[in-house]
Amino acid sequence: MGDTWLELAAAEIHQRDLIRDAERERLIRMAKRSNRDAEREQLERVAKRLYREQTWWQRILQWLRRNNA
């Protein structure tokens, strides 16, 4: 237990740095995940809009292609 105050301070600062780095990594992962979710939601909205814009005969042709593949 012969640690000096300087060694104890350095250990505490190092521990704080590790905690800060881990929190930063967690926030980065969360931001990436939310970006992927936002991109997926945007793609779903575009797909729904494109489907709504199709005419009835385009939907029939699409259905035929899907079922005859």
Side-chain angles (χ1 to χ4, degrees):
M1 242 1 247
D3 294 333
T4 67
W5 67 271
L6 187 59
E7 291 170 329
L8 291 173
E12 186 173 334
I13 290 170
H14 179 66
Q15 187 176 13
R16 285 186 200 160
D17 289 345
L18 291 175
I19 292 169
R20 187 187 65 234
D21 291 346
E23 179 66 14
R24 185 170 45 89
E25 290 292 326
R26 187 182 69 82
L27 291 173
I28 289 170
R29 281 194 309 275
M30 285 176 55
K32 286 180 181 178
R33 188 178 314 127
S34 68
N35 284 343
R36 284 193 305 266
D37 292 343
E39 288 173 3
R40 189 186 74 243
E41 288 172 5
Q42 182 179 6
L43 288 173
E44 288 172 354
R45 283 194 301 271
V46 169
K48 287 178 184 178
R49 181 179 53 82
L50 290 174
Y51 182 77
R52 281 193 310 267
E53 291 174 356
Q54 284 181 337
T55 61
W56 62 271
W57 59 269
Q58 287 174 319
R59 289 182 188 164
I60 291 174
L61 286 175
Q62 188 180 36
W63 182 82
L64 286 171
R65 272 190 246 119
R66 196 171 35 238
N67 288 331
N68 290 331

PDB file of all heavy atoms in Angstrom, residues 7-22:
ATOM      1  N   GLU A   7       1.049   8.771  -7.412  1.00  0.00           N
ATOM      2  CA  GLU A   7       0.622   7.531  -8.074  1.00  0.00           C
ATOM      3  C   GLU A   7      -0.888   7.340  -7.959  1.00  0.00           C
ATOM      4  O   GLU A   7      -1.542   6.911  -8.922  1.00  0.00           O
ATOM      5  CB  GLU A   7       1.353   6.335  -7.460  1.00  0.00           C
ATOM      6  CG  GLU A   7       2.836   6.300  -7.784  1.00  0.00           C
ATOM      7  CD  GLU A   7       3.578   5.246  -6.978  1.00  0.00           C
ATOM      8  OE1 GLU A   7       3.174   4.962  -5.836  1.00  0.00           O
ATOM      9  OE2 GLU A   7       4.567   4.712  -7.517  1.00  0.00           O
ATOM     10  N   LEU A   8      -1.435   7.667  -6.795  1.00  0.00           N
ATOM     11  CA  LEU A   8      -2.886   7.557  -6.613  1.00  0.00           C
ATOM     12  C   LEU A   8      -3.634   8.529  -7.530  1.00  0.00           C
ATOM     13  O   LEU A   8      -4.648   8.173  -8.134  1.00  0.00           O
ATOM     14  CB  LEU A   8      -3.263   7.803  -5.149  1.00  0.00           C
ATOM     15  CG  LEU A   8      -2.817   6.729  -4.162  1.00  0.00           C
ATOM     16  CD1 LEU A   8      -3.098   7.176  -2.734  1.00  0.00           C
ATOM     17  CD2 LEU A   8      -3.513   5.417  -4.461  1.00  0.00           C
ATOM     18  N   ALA A   9      -3.118   9.739  -7.631  1.00  0.00           N
ATOM     19  CA  ALA A   9      -3.743  10.732  -8.509  1.00  0.00           C
ATOM     20  C   ALA A   9      -3.671  10.280  -9.960  1.00  0.00           C
ATOM     21  O   ALA A   9      -4.644  10.409 -10.721  1.00  0.00           O
ATOM     22  CB  ALA A   9      -3.075  12.095  -8.328  1.00  0.00           C
ATOM     23  N   ALA A  10      -2.528   9.748 -10.362  1.00  0.00           N
ATOM     24  CA  ALA A  10      -2.372   9.278 -11.740  1.00  0.00           C
ATOM     25  C   ALA A  10      -3.313   8.115 -12.032  1.00  0.00           C
ATOM     26  O   ALA A  10      -3.914   8.044 -13.111  1.00  0.00           O
ATOM     27  CB  ALA A  10      -0.924   8.866 -11.989  1.00  0.00           C
ATOM     28  N   ALA A  11      -3.464   7.217 -11.073  1.00  0.00           N
ATOM     29  CA  ALA A  11      -4.368   6.076 -11.253  1.00  0.00           C
ATOM     30  C   ALA A  11      -5.817   6.556 -11.373  1.00  0.00           C
ATOM     31  O   ALA A  11      -6.585   6.049 -12.197  1.00  0.00           O
ATOM     32  CB  ALA A  11      -4.222   5.099 -10.088  1.00  0.00           C
ATOM     33  N   GLU A  12      -6.178   7.541 -10.549  1.00  0.00           N
ATOM     34  CA  GLU A  12      -7.545   8.063 -10.612  1.00  0.00           C
ATOM     35  C   GLU A  12      -7.796   8.783 -11.938  1.00  0.00           C
ATOM     36  O   GLU A  12      -8.848   8.613 -12.554  1.00  0.00           O
ATOM     37  CB  GLU A  12      -7.782   9.024  -9.443  1.00  0.00           C
ATOM     38  CG  GLU A  12      -9.220   9.486  -9.360  1.00  0.00           C
ATOM     39  CD  GLU A  12      -9.498  10.287  -8.111  1.00  0.00           C
ATOM     40  OE1 GLU A  12      -8.801  10.098  -7.101  1.00  0.00           O
ATOM     41  OE2 GLU A  12     -10.430  11.104  -8.167  1.00  0.00           O
ATOM     42  N   ILE A  13      -6.835   9.553 -12.405  1.00  0.00           N
ATOM     43  CA  ILE A  13      -6.977  10.244 -13.687  1.00  0.00           C
ATOM     44  C   ILE A  13      -7.084   9.228 -14.821  1.00  0.00           C
ATOM     45  O   ILE A  13      -7.898   9.365 -15.728  1.00  0.00           O
ATOM     46  CB  ILE A  13      -5.794  11.208 -13.906  1.00  0.00           C
ATOM     47  CG1 ILE A  13      -5.915  12.380 -12.930  1.00  0.00           C
ATOM     48  CG2 ILE A  13      -5.742  11.702 -15.343  1.00  0.00           C
ATOM     49  CD1 ILE A  13      -4.689  13.276 -12.879  1.00  0.00           C
ATOM     50  N   HIS A  14      -6.256   8.183 -14.753  1.00  0.00           N
ATOM     51  CA  HIS A  14      -6.308   7.141 -15.775  1.00  0.00           C
ATOM     52  C   HIS A  14      -7.677   6.455 -15.782  1.00  0.00           C
ATOM     53  O   HIS A  14      -8.256   6.202 -16.844  1.00  0.00           O
ATOM     54  CB  HIS A  14      -5.202   6.113 -15.522  1.00  0.00           C
ATOM     55  CG  HIS A  14      -5.194   4.994 -16.509  1.00  0.00           C
ATOM     56  ND1 HIS A  14      -4.895   5.181 -17.842  1.00  0.00           N
ATOM     57  CD2 HIS A  14      -5.460   3.668 -16.371  1.00  0.00           C
ATOM     58  CE1 HIS A  14      -4.972   4.022 -18.469  1.00  0.00           C
ATOM     59  NE2 HIS A  14      -5.313   3.080 -17.606  1.00  0.00           N
ATOM     60  N   GLN A  15      -8.212   6.179 -14.596  1.00  0.00           N
ATOM     61  CA  GLN A  15      -9.529   5.546 -14.503  1.00  0.00           C
ATOM     62  C   GLN A  15     -10.608   6.458 -15.095  1.00  0.00           C
ATOM     63  O   GLN A  15     -11.482   6.006 -15.824  1.00  0.00           O
ATOM     64  CB  GLN A  15      -9.848   5.226 -13.050  1.00  0.00           C
ATOM     65  CG  GLN A  15     -11.114   4.428 -12.867  1.00  0.00           C
ATOM     66  CD  GLN A  15     -11.338   4.045 -11.412  1.00  0.00           C
ATOM     67  OE1 GLN A  15     -10.676   4.569 -10.510  1.00  0.00           O
ATOM     68  NE2 GLN A  15     -12.256   3.141 -11.182  1.00  0.00           N
ATOM     69  N   ARG A  16     -10.528   7.751 -14.805  1.00  0.00           N
ATOM     70  CA  ARG A  16     -11.483   8.710 -15.379  1.00  0.00           C
ATOM     71  C   ARG A  16     -11.379   8.740 -16.900  1.00  0.00           C
ATOM     72  O   ARG A  16     -12.386   8.816 -17.602  1.00  0.00           O
ATOM     73  CB  ARG A  16     -11.238  10.113 -14.823  1.00  0.00           C
ATOM     74  CG  ARG A  16     -11.721  10.305 -13.423  1.00  0.00           C
ATOM     75  CD  ARG A  16     -11.553  11.755 -13.029  1.00  0.00           C
ATOM     76  NE  ARG A  16     -11.552  11.901 -11.586  1.00  0.00           N
ATOM     77  CZ  ARG A  16     -11.072  12.934 -10.943  1.00  0.00           C
ATOM     78  NH1 ARG A  16     -10.548  13.946 -11.614  1.00  0.00           N
ATOM     79  NH2 ARG A  16     -11.124  12.991  -9.636  1.00  0.00           N
ATOM     80  N   ASP A  17     -10.136   8.695 -17.421  1.00  0.00           N
ATOM     81  CA  ASP A  17      -9.930   8.674 -18.878  1.00  0.00           C
ATOM     82  C   ASP A  17     -10.570   7.438 -19.499  1.00  0.00           C
ATOM     83  O   ASP A  17     -11.198   7.511 -20.559  1.00  0.00           O
ATOM     84  CB  ASP A  17      -8.446   8.721 -19.225  1.00  0.00           C
ATOM     85  CG  ASP A  17      -7.814  10.072 -18.945  1.00  0.00           C
ATOM     86  OD1 ASP A  17      -8.573  11.051 -18.749  1.00  0.00           O
ATOM     87  OD2 ASP A  17      -6.575  10.140 -18.915  1.00  0.00           O
ATOM     88  N   LEU A  18     -10.396   6.287 -18.849  1.00  0.00           N
ATOM     89  CA  LEU A  18     -10.992   5.051 -19.358  1.00  0.00           C
ATOM     90  C   LEU A  18     -12.516   5.144 -19.386  1.00  0.00           C
ATOM     91  O   LEU A  18     -13.158   4.742 -20.360  1.00  0.00           O
ATOM     92  CB  LEU A  18     -10.555   3.846 -18.512  1.00  0.00           C
ATOM     93  CG  LEU A  18      -9.086   3.444 -18.613  1.00  0.00           C
ATOM     94  CD1 LEU A  18      -8.795   2.323 -17.625  1.00  0.00           C
ATOM     95  CD2 LEU A  18      -8.742   3.029 -20.024  1.00  0.00           C
ATOM     96  N   ILE A  19     -13.088   5.692 -18.326  1.00  0.00           N
ATOM     97  CA  ILE A  19     -14.550   5.846 -18.263  1.00  0.00           C
ATOM     98  C   ILE A  19     -15.018   6.807 -19.345  1.00  0.00           C
ATOM     99  O   ILE A  19     -16.005   6.551 -20.045  1.00  0.00           O
ATOM    100  CB  ILE A  19     -14.977   6.322 -16.857  1.00  0.00           C
ATOM    101  CG1 ILE A  19     -14.724   5.211 -15.837  1.00  0.00           C
ATOM    102  CG2 ILE A  19     -16.430   6.761 -16.844  1.00  0.00           C
ATOM    103  CD1 ILE A  19     -14.859   5.656 -14.390  1.00  0.00           C
ATOM    104  N   ARG A  20     -14.304   7.928 -19.503  1.00  0.00           N
ATOM    105  CA  ARG A  20     -14.676   8.913 -20.535  1.00  0.00           C
ATOM    106  C   ARG A  20     -14.588   8.297 -21.936  1.00  0.00           C
ATOM    107  O   ARG A  20     -15.474   8.484 -22.771  1.00  0.00           O
ATOM    108  CB  ARG A  20     -13.781  10.144 -20.426  1.00  0.00           C
ATOM    109  CG  ARG A  20     -14.221  11.278 -21.353  1.00  0.00           C
ATOM    110  CD  ARG A  20     -13.238  12.437 -21.375  1.00  0.00           C
ATOM    111  NE  ARG A  20     -11.978  11.969 -21.943  1.00  0.00           N
ATOM    112  CZ  ARG A  20     -10.797  12.094 -21.347  1.00  0.00           C
ATOM    113  NH1 ARG A  20     -10.709  12.653 -20.172  1.00  0.00           N
ATOM    114  NH2 ARG A  20      -9.706  11.650 -21.931  1.00  0.00           N
ATOM    115  N   ASP A  21     -13.520   7.547 -22.199  1.00  0.00           N
ATOM    116  CA  ASP A  21     -13.361   6.905 -23.511  1.00  0.00           C
ATOM    117  C   ASP A  21     -14.466   5.885 -23.767  1.00  0.00           C
ATOM    118  O   ASP A  21     -14.993   5.799 -24.875  1.00  0.00           O
ATOM    119  CB  ASP A  21     -11.989   6.231 -23.614  1.00  0.00           C
ATOM    120  CG  ASP A  21     -10.851   7.235 -23.672  1.00  0.00           C
ATOM    121  OD1 ASP A  21     -11.125   8.439 -23.901  1.00  0.00           O
ATOM    122  OD2 ASP A  21      -9.694   6.815 -23.484  1.00  0.00           O
ATOM    123  N   ALA A  22     -14.822   5.122 -22.742  1.00  0.00           N
ATOM    124  CA  ALA A  22     -15.889   4.132 -22.906  1.00  0.00           C
ATOM    125  C   ALA A  22     -17.221   4.824 -23.185  1.00  0.00           C
ATOM    126  O   ALA A  22     -18.002   4.373 -24.032  1.00  0.00           O
ATOM    127  CB  ALA A  22     -15.996   3.260 -21.655  1.00  0.00           C
TER     128      ALA A  22
END
